[in-house]
Amino acid sequence: MSFSPLTSRLIEALTCLPGVGPKSAQRMALHLLDRDRNGGEKLAQTLQLAMDNIGRCQRCRNFSESEVCQTCTQTSRDASLLCVVETPADVIALDQSGGFRGYYFLLLGHLSPIDGIGPEEIGAPLLDQRLAEGEVKEMVIATGTTVEGEATAHYLSEMARRHGVVASRIAHGVPMGGDLEYVDSNTLSLALKGRKRLE
Amino acid sequence: MSFSPLTSRLIEALTCLPGVGPKSAQRMALHLLDRDRNGGEKLAQTLQLAMDNIGRCQRCRNFSESEVCQTCTQTSRDASLLCVVETPADVIALDQSGGFRGYYFLLLGHLSPIDGIGPEEIGAPLLDQRLAEGEVKEMVIATGTTVEGEATAHYLSEMARRHGVVASRIAHGVPMGGDLEYVDSNTLSLALKGRKRLE
């Protein structure tokens, strides 16, 4: 005895979501069938629409249903600043901080030769072309602090140099409100190296 | 700055899933868009199909895309035994245990007057009709051990009595392999009350 064939197929299909195993998928399927048919209908339609229509922005590579995304069409931004990040979530986080008013470029990953992710995969040709346009004066590199993130940052700074563009890296250090004793030693060492003279 | 309108709608729609908040929904949406378009397509279609076609079995009230579910059409089962459970997941658990070969009836909840869940909502009229058919000789009540589950069990046993059907309750006690010191006192008290003489 098991669930009806269609219920089983729904449970199976739900496991494509990250962090959802067979048990959670079962709970989700039963919840939708039992208590939220409207939500399920809406999810099905929105999902179909999203899968069919969302592509990449031709300028920054962020997800967008139009050829050029909303952010890239905003003229209020400073075109001399370009921030290079790994993921769409990074863009949201940086923009919400309010500390950056330029444009963004998404790598959608980082260089990782072992996984077959080279310059092509992270959109290097498109970025190269963008820098060649000559509008960008400073490229803020905000890739992760992993080994791959650092290697990618190095690769990007070389590219910026070729175009005569200033490359900068966001600062790493102790988070605001962070107690020193709870900060890991790598971060502390970076924070010490990056110390600033008080005026 | 935020996600594109359609991406935001997808994130919003995903929060209808139980246990999924805005952050998890964002992670799910980006995962599907970035790495699993096929999975997303399949989920959208299966979900639509499931919402449109899955209803209730007319005999046991379990989810089914046919009028009568697979379990109720199996003739190999013992028609004199009817097990009453709260949820579809309970049916799976009991059936997988291999300890029961009769038919099932689903309450899809338990009596809870404060939430407006009365006999109608738990399908009492349908169960009444089933018992009136005269085939069922024993009704195994497997509702939860909560206060509401016990009250529901009491209500059901009264119904069984009216039809001259034997009502039984699944045993509560120490789980197999359970160390006494880790079993809660209510369960221990039930286990003591339900003790059996060794032959």
Side-chain angles (χ1 to χ4, degrees):
Chain A
M1 146 87 210
S2 59
F3 291 110
S4 79
L6 191 49
T7 312
S8 301
R9 270 173 62 197
L10 176 59
I11 293 172
E12 166 73 28
L14 280 164
T15 57
C16 77
L17 297 171
V20 176
K23 277 278 168 190
S24 316
Q26 179 181 314
R27 195 161 63 95
M28 288 174 170
L30 296 182
H31 171 86
L32 291 180
L33 288 169
D34 198 15
R35 264 161 290 171
D36 198 6
R37 296 264 172 162
N38 283 343
E41 282 276 352
K42 210 178 130 194
L43 177 56
Q45 286 154 15
T46 314
L47 200 50
Q48 187 70 61
L49 217 59
M51 292 298 129
D52 290 348
N53 294 299
I54 295 179
R56 301 262 180 230
C57 168
Q58 289 183 354
R59 272 188 84 67
C60 74
R61 301 180 86 216
N62 204 343
F63 292 121
S64 172
E65 53 268 33
S66 44
E67 284 203 0
V68 175
C69 76
Q70 289 176 311
T71 312
C72 287
T73 50
Q74 281 170 3
T75 50
S76 58
R77 290 178 180 261
D78 183 350
S80 71
L81 286 173
L82 184 68
C83 182
V84 182
V85 296
E86 295 190 8
T87 71
D90 296 339
V91 176
I92 303 283
L94 284 169
D95 227 61
Q96 278 176 353
S97 78
F100 183 76
R101 299 308 299 164
Y103 291 92
Y104 293 91
F105 185 87
L106 284 85
L107 304 174
L108 302 170
H110 42 232
L111 289 176
S112 177
I114 214 163
D115 303 313
I117 301 177
E120 280 283 336
E121 282 70 27
I122 62 168
L126 191 64
L127 182 58
D128 208 60
Q129 194 182 315
R130 176 80 166 260
L131 296 183
E133 287 173 11
E135 256 194 319
V136 177
K137 302 295 173 222
E138 181 182 349
M139 179 160 88
V140 182
I141 305 172
T143 53
T145 28
T146 55
V147 175
E148 292 89 351
E150 292 295 347
T152 309
H154 179 75
Y155 173 85
L156 294 172
S157 67
E158 291 292 318
M159 183 192 284
R161 191 195 318 264
R162 282 202 305 279
H163 288 281
V165 168
V166 177
S168 59
R169 184 96 170 95
I170 53 164
H172 297 303
V174 180
M176 289 289 287
D179 243 337
L180 285 198
E181 64 174 312
Y182 299 117
V183 174
D184 67 293
S185 54
N186 283 334
T187 303
L188 273 185
S189 136
L190 283 171
L192 281 168
K193 260 192 221 151
R195 66 187 179 277
K196 279 187 195 161
R197 195 171 183 142
L198 298 171
E199 313 282 329
Chain B
M1 147 85 209
S2 60
F3 291 110
S4 76
L6 191 50
T7 311
S8 300
R9 270 173 61 196
L10 176 58
I11 293 172
E12 165 73 30
L14 281 163
T15 58
C16 77
L17 297 171
V20 176
K23 277 278 168 190
S24 316
Q26 178 180 316
R27 194 162 65 95
M28 288 174 170
L30 295 182
H31 172 87
L32 292 180
L33 288 169
D34 198 17
R35 264 162 288 171
D36 198 5
R37 295 265 171 161
N38 283 344
E41 283 275 353
K42 209 178 132 195
L43 177 56
Q45 286 153 16
T46 314
L47 200 50
Q48 187 71 61
L49 217 58
M51 293 298 130
D52 290 348
N53 294 300
I54 295 179
R56 302 261 179 230
C57 166
Q58 291 183 351
R59 272 188 85 69
C60 73
R61 301 180 86 216
N62 204 344
F63 292 121
S64 172
E65 54 268 33
S66 44
E67 284 202 1
V68 176
C69 76
Q70 289 176 311
T71 312
C72 288
T73 50
Q74 281 171 2
T75 49
S76 58
R77 289 177 181 263
D78 183 350
S80 70
L81 286 172
L82 184 69
C83 182
V84 182
V85 297
E86 294 190 9
T87 72
D90 295 340
V91 176
I92 303 283
L94 283 168
D95 226 60
Q96 276 175 354
S97 78
F100 183 76
R101 300 308 300 165
Y103 292 91
Y104 293 92
F105 186 86
L106 284 84
L107 304 174
L108 303 169
H110 42 232
L111 288 177
S112 177
I114 213 163
D115 303 313
I117 302 177
E120 281 282 334
E121 282 70 27
I122 62 168
L126 190 64
L127 182 58
D128 208 60
Q129 195 182 313
R130 176 80 165 260
L131 295 184
E133 287 173 10
E135 256 195 317
V136 177
K137 302 295 173 219
E138 181 183 350
M139 179 161 86
V140 182
I141 305 172
T143 52
T145 29
T146 55
V147 174
E148 291 89 351
E150 292 294 348
T152 310
H154 178 75
Y155 173 85
L156 294 171
S157 67
E158 290 293 318
M159 184 193 284
R161 191 194 317 263
R162 282 201 305 278
H163 288 280
V165 168
V166 176
S168 61
R169 184 94 170 96
I170 53 165
H172 296 303
V174 179
M176 288 290 287
D179 242 338
L180 285 199
E181 62 174 314
Y182 299 116
V183 174
D184 67 293
S185 53
N186 283 333
T187 304
L188 272 184
S189 136
L190 283 172
L192 281 168
K193 261 191 220 152
R195 67 187 179 277
K196 279 188 195 160
R197 194 171 185 142
L198 296 172
E199 313 283 329

